[in-house]
Amino acid sequence: MKNALWENIFRGKSKEVSQEVLTLKKVPVFEGLEPKELSEIEKLIHHRTYKPDEVVFRRNAPGEGMYIILRGKVDILTESGEGTSSVVASLTEGDFFGDLSLLDKEPRSATALAKDHTTLLGFFRPDLTALLKRKPQLGVKILMNLAAVIGERLRKTNDLLSQMQSKNISATNT
Amino acid sequence: MLLGIGFLYLIWQYISDIILLIVFAFLFTTILLPAVDWLEGKLRSRGLAVLVTVVSLIAGVGIFLSSFGMQLSNEAMDTYHKFEKEELITVIDNLRSNFTAILPEFAKEILESSSDETASADKISGYVKTVLGSLSQLTSAIGSFLFFATMILIFTIIILYEYHNFKRSLVSFIPNKYFELGLRLIRNIEKQVSSYLHGQLLAASSVAILSIFGLWLLNVFMDANLSLIIFIGIIAGLANLIPLIGPFVGMVPAVLVAVMNNIDTGAVSHYLFNVTPIPSPFFIFDIIFVFLIVQQIDNNLVTPKLIGQSVGIHPILVIIALLIGANLMGAIGMLMAVPAAGTIKAVSKEIMWAVRNTHLL
C-alpha cells in the first residue's frame, strides 16, 4: 500500500517547466539563460490580461518596459496627423514589443492594442535595474542580449537604408 | 469614497499604531534596501544579506548606546564625587533657609505646621507612592517602547526580505489603463523618498562631524573641558533629523556636560572665546556659538546640496507640513512631515505630467 507521507517526502522538486518559462526561453532578450536564471526572471515578470480591443499602451504614454505575448494577439499602430492610425505589425504568441523602453525613458512611439483575449508578460525597467544590483551577472546577460537585439535591428535598418539609397541613386542616374 | 473615509475615521484609533509601525518599517526598509540589494549581489542569498544588514545595525546601535550609557554614568559619578556630602547638605540647607525667608508669613506657618511627625510620615508615604507610581509608569513605557521597537524590527526584516515580491503584488492591482503610469509613479516616489532619507542621513552625519570638530576645537584652544564629544556630536546629528526644533535639542547634551564638568572650576567666569566681553558660564555661550556655526554651514551649504534638490519644497510649505505633522503625531509627525510632503509633491507632479503628456487622464 502506498503511503502518501513517504511519497510526498521523496517526491523531490517538480521538474515541470511552466508555460511562462517556455515562452521566455524563446525570447532573444532571455536567450542563453540557465533554467535557474529563467525561474528568477519568472519571479520578476508581471502577468497582465487584456480584453479584445483594449489598449496595452498609447503613443506618448510613459514607457516603462517590454511585453511578451503569452496568449493572444497584439497590433502595433502608428497614428498619422489626421487622427487615423495604421497597423505596422501584428504580433502573436512568443513575440515581444516595447523592449527599447527597458533602456531609455522616452515615451512610447506607437500604440499597442490587444486584438483578442490576451495575456502578456511584462518585464520592466525598475525590475531590470533592481536585478542589476541584486544579481549583476544575470542582469549583465540580459543587457548583452538586449544590445544584440538592438544591434541586429540597427543592422537591418542600415541594410534597408543602403538599399533605398542605391535605388534612389539608380533612379536619378536613369 | 466617502463611506471609505468615514469607516477609516471610525477605526482610526484602533489601527493608527499599526499604521505608524508599518510606516516606520517602510522608512527603515527604504534606508536599508540599497545595502541589502548590494549584499545580495555579493552573498547570492537575500536571507543572508538581510541578516548581515540587520545584525550590523543592531550591533552598531547596541555598542553606541551601551558605551554612551557607561560613559555618561561615569561622568555623573564624577560630578557627584566633586561635592563633599557635608558641603552639599550645607548648600541645600542654605537654599532652604533663604527660600523660607522670602516666603510670606502664612506660607511659613503652613510649612512649619506641616513639619510635625504625623505630617512628615504622611509626606514620606506620599513620596513613596509617587515614586512607585512613577516607576511603574516608567516600566510600562519602557515595555511598550521595547515592544514597538521589536515589532518595527520584525516588520522591517519581513519587508526587506520580501520587498520586491510585495511591490510586484501591489503593482498587480493597478488597472491596465494606468499600469505603466503607476509604475512610473511608484518609481519616482521611491526615488524621492529614498534620496530624501539618504540626504537627511548624510546631513545628520555632516552635522555630527562638524559638531565633534567644533567641540574638539573648544577643548583644544579654550580648555573647555568637554567630554563625550563624539556622543554629543552623534546625538546632535540625530536630533537634526527633526526640522526646526532638532538643532536646539542637539545642543542640550553639550550644555549639560559642560555644566557637569566645569561646575567646580573657574570656567564659570569665562568670557566668550576669551575675547568677547560676554560672560559665558561653563562655556555655554561658546557651545551655543559653535552649534550656530554648524547650523549655518548645514543650512547654507550641506542641506541645499543634499536635500534641497531631492524634495525641493518651499520653506513655508515645510513649516506648514511640520505644523500639521506635529498636530497629528507630535515629534514623530514632524520627523515624517517633510518626506510625506515630498511624496504628495511627487504624486501631484506625476499627475500633472500625465495630464499634459498622455491621454490617460
Side-chain angles (χ1 to χ4, degrees), chain A residues 45 48-49 64 108 134, chain B residues 40-41 168 174 176 180 187:
Chain A
I45 52 172
R48 308 296 302 179
T49 50
E64 288 293 312
R108 298 287 188 191
R134 296 165 58 204
Chain B
E40 191 190 355
R168 198 160 151 250
I174 305 174
N176 284 338
E180 290 197 51
R187 176 165 55 83

Side-chain angles (χ1 to χ4, degrees), chain A:
Chain A
M1 205 173 103
K2 282 184 179 176
N3 187 323
L5 175 73
W6 288 110
E7 269 197 2
N8 273 309
I9 288 173
F10 293 109
R11 187 179 57 181
K13 270 192 174 176
S14 166
K15 294 263 164 89
E16 262 179 49
V17 181
S18 66
Q19 179 68 36
E20 285 80 3
V21 169
L22 287 173
T23 310
L24 288 175
K25 231 176 173 177
K26 291 177 201 157
V27 177
V29 178
F30 305 113
E31 208 176 73
L33 298 191
E34 303 290 327
K36 208 180 157 190
E37 291 173 327
L38 283 168
S39 316
E40 201 60 51
I41 301 294
E42 194 188 1
K43 284 182 206 161
L44 292 177
I45 52 172
H46 301 258
H47 280 249
R48 308 296 302 179
T49 50
Y50 298 84
K51 286 179 249 158
D53 290 325
E54 189 177 353
V55 173
V56 179
F57 55 73
R58 278 188 195 282
R59 187 169 171 260
N60 289 333
E64 288 293 312
M66 67 180 282
Y67 292 92
I68 302 134
I69 305 174
L70 187 68
R71 273 181 291 272
K73 284 176 191 165
V74 171
D75 276 356
I76 306 294
L77 314 164
T78 52
E79 284 152 41
S80 61
E82 291 103 39
T84 53
S85 54
S86 54
V87 178
V88 286
S90 284
L91 308 172
T92 54
E93 285 172 20
D95 288 338
F96 64 99
F97 56 97
D99 44 314
L100 271 182
S101 290
L102 279 176
L103 297 175
D104 65 14
K105 292 177 183 173
E106 289 298 304
R108 298 287 188 191
S109 56
T111 300
L113 193 73
K115 289 310 289 175
D116 212 342
H117 284 284
T118 304
T119 306
L120 301 178
L121 304 175
F123 181 61
F124 299 102
R125 198 167 55 242
D127 300 320
L128 178 62
T129 317
L131 192 69
L132 279 163
K133 273 190 210 154
R134 296 165 58 204
K135 300 199 167 24
Q137 285 181 334
L138 177 55
V140 167
K141 272 187 189 178
I142 293 170
L143 278 184
M144 290 300 282
N145 283 341
L146 205 56
V149 168
I150 291 163
E152 175 68 22
R153 210 173 285 161
L154 186 66
R155 205 167 291 124
K156 279 182 183 167
T157 314
N158 283 344
D159 286 346
L160 270 174
L161 195 68
S162 54
Q163 274 173 28
M164 281 174 77
Q165 274 177 337
S166 52
K167 267 184 194 171
N168 277 347
I169 290 165
S170 56
T172 37
N173 286 345
T174 53

Side-chain angles (χ1 to χ4, degrees), chain A residues 46-50 54, chain B residues 167-187:
Chain A
H46 301 258
H47 280 249
R48 308 296 302 179
T49 50
Y50 298 84
E54 189 177 353
Chain B
K167 204 171 124 187
R168 198 160 151 250
S169 311
L170 184 77
V171 159
S172 68
F173 291 108
I174 305 174
N176 284 338
K177 194 178 173 186
Y178 306 110
F179 186 63
E180 290 197 51
L181 186 68
L183 282 182
R184 190 186 140 101
L185 189 67
I186 290 171
R187 176 165 55 83

Side-chain angles (χ1 to χ4, degrees), chain B residues 47-227:
Chain B
L48 204 58
V50 172
L51 188 75
V52 170
T53 312
V54 172
V55 167
S56 314
L57 183 78
I58 294 171
V61 172
I63 290 167
F64 172 74
L65 286 179
S66 59
S67 66
F68 179 60
M70 272 167 61
Q71 290 207 33
L72 194 68
S73 69
N74 287 344
E75 285 287 318
M77 286 305 287
D78 282 352
T79 314
Y80 174 75
H81 287 305
K82 276 177 189 165
F83 298 102
E84 288 295 323
K85 271 188 184 166
E86 285 88 29
E87 197 184 315
L88 196 67
I89 290 165
T90 319
V91 168
I92 292 169
D93 275 347
N94 283 343
L95 269 174
R96 196 172 59 186
S97 54
N98 287 344
F99 176 68
T100 323
I102 56 164
L103 284 176
E105 278 307 311
F106 74 92
K108 275 182 199 167
E109 276 169 24
I110 292 168
L111 213 64
E112 276 159 18
S113 68
S114 66
S115 63
D116 61 66
E117 282 172 10
T118 335
S120 298
D122 284 347
K123 227 192 273 177
I124 289 164
S125 78
Y127 285 144
V128 171
K129 273 180 193 168
T130 318
V131 168
L132 284 177
S134 306
L135 268 177
S136 73
Q137 271 180 0
L138 185 71
T139 317
S140 98
I142 290 172
S144 65
F145 172 78
L146 283 178
F147 174 74
F148 204 70
T150 313
M151 290 310 285
I152 289 174
L153 184 71
I154 292 168
F155 270 62
T156 307
I157 291 171
I158 295 169
I159 299 171
L160 271 175
Y161 186 73
E162 293 286 342
Y163 182 80
H164 298 284
N165 292 336
F166 275 146
K167 204 171 124 187
R168 198 160 151 250
S169 311
L170 184 77
V171 159
S172 68
F173 291 108
I174 305 174
N176 284 338
K177 194 178 173 186
Y178 306 110
F179 186 63
E180 290 197 51
L181 186 68
L183 282 182
R184 190 186 140 101
L185 189 67
I186 290 171
R187 176 165 55 83
N188 283 350
I189 291 170
E190 263 182 337
K191 216 167 128 186
Q192 190 103 326
V193 175
S194 165
S195 62
Y196 173 76
L197 290 177
H198 288 115
Q200 281 280 28
L201 279 182
L202 280 174
S205 310
S206 88
V207 166
I209 292 165
L210 287 170
S211 307
I212 292 167
F213 182 65
L215 296 175
W216 176 78
L217 285 179
L218 283 187
N219 268 351
V220 172
F221 295 106
M222 309 285 147
D223 294 323
N225 190 24
L226 294 169
S227 49

Side-chain angles (χ1 to χ4, degrees), chain B residues 236-249:
Chain B
L238 289 175
N240 203 60
L241 291 173
I242 302 172
L244 298 181
I245 59 160
F248 299 102
V249 176

Side-chain angles (χ1 to χ4, degrees), chain B residues 277-356:
Chain B
I278 304 167
S280 175
F282 313 113
F283 291 94
I284 288 174
F285 289 125
D286 300 63
I287 291 167
I288 293 173
F289 196 75
V290 163
F291 275 93
L292 284 177
I293 293 171
V294 168
Q295 280 309 312
Q296 287 309 308
I297 296 172
D298 177 58
N299 291 340
N300 297 311
L301 296 172
V302 184
T303 305
K305 281 267 174 215
L306 298 173
I307 299 166
Q309 290 158 353
S310 64
V311 178
I313 303 169
H314 195 278
I316 289 177
L317 288 177
V318 170
I319 295 169
I320 293 170
L322 285 172
L323 290 174
I324 294 171
N327 257 333
L328 287 175
M329 283 191 231
I332 294 165
M334 289 183 88
L335 195 66
M336 288 177 183
V338 181
T343 309
I344 293 168
K345 193 193 164 191
V347 173
S348 328
K349 210 171 139 187
E350 285 303 312
I351 291 171
M352 291 301 286
W353 183 90
V355 168
R356 266 191 238 117

